[in-house]
Amino acid sequence: MPTLRTIVDGLRSLFRKQRVDAELDEELRGFLEMAAEEKMKQGASRKGALRAVRLELGNIEAAKEVVRDARWESFPETCWQDLRHQRLRA
């Protein structure tokens, strides 16, 4: 069953890219909030905690790209982009 779910989720992300990106943004925001709360429990101010978490995580856009590239649906999407690019160059 997990394989079927993976396929369904992948197809969904191919055709609903904006929605999937919004969900990824929401998930990362949630992670940032939870990690910041942990730092605040250790005595950091909210601003300091958020800054520390962002520094630890690094570039948010790079993190999103890593997540996107780890999914199987990035392969057909990349192939499609390559084909379009080759057709435009011809």
Side-chain angles (χ1 to χ4, degrees):
M1 193 65 160
T3 304
L4 180 60
R5 182 70 177 164
T6 301
I7 293 169
V8 169
D9 287 346
L11 290 173
R12 183 176 153 260
S13 31
L14 281 173
F15 297 105
R16 295 185 178 157
K17 189 170 175 62
Q18 289 178 338
R19 177 67 183 148
V20 172
D21 284 346
E23 289 173 359
L24 179 56
D25 286 341
E26 184 179 324
E27 191 172 335
L28 280 171
R29 268 193 308 275
F31 171 78
L32 286 171
E33 286 295 323
M34 286 183 358
E37 285 179 25
E38 285 298 315
K39 296 214 177 282
M40 289 181 342
K41 287 178 185 176
Q42 297 170 1
S45 68
R46 177 161 177 77
K47 184 177 177 180
L50 285 170
R51 182 177 186 282
V53 170
R54 285 191 180 109
L55 286 173
E56 289 172 9
L57 182 60
N59 185 323
I60 302 271
E61 290 303 315
K64 289 181 190 179
E65 283 302 314
V66 168
V67 171
R68 287 183 195 114
D69 288 346
R71 297 177 180 160
W72 71 266
E73 64 273 7
S74 68
F75 177 73
E77 185 175 359
T78 302
C79 289
W80 176 248
Q81 289 171 353
D82 289 348
L83 286 172
R84 283 189 358 220
H85 180 72
Q86 287 297 325
R87 191 176 62 194
L88 291 175
R89 288 181 54 194

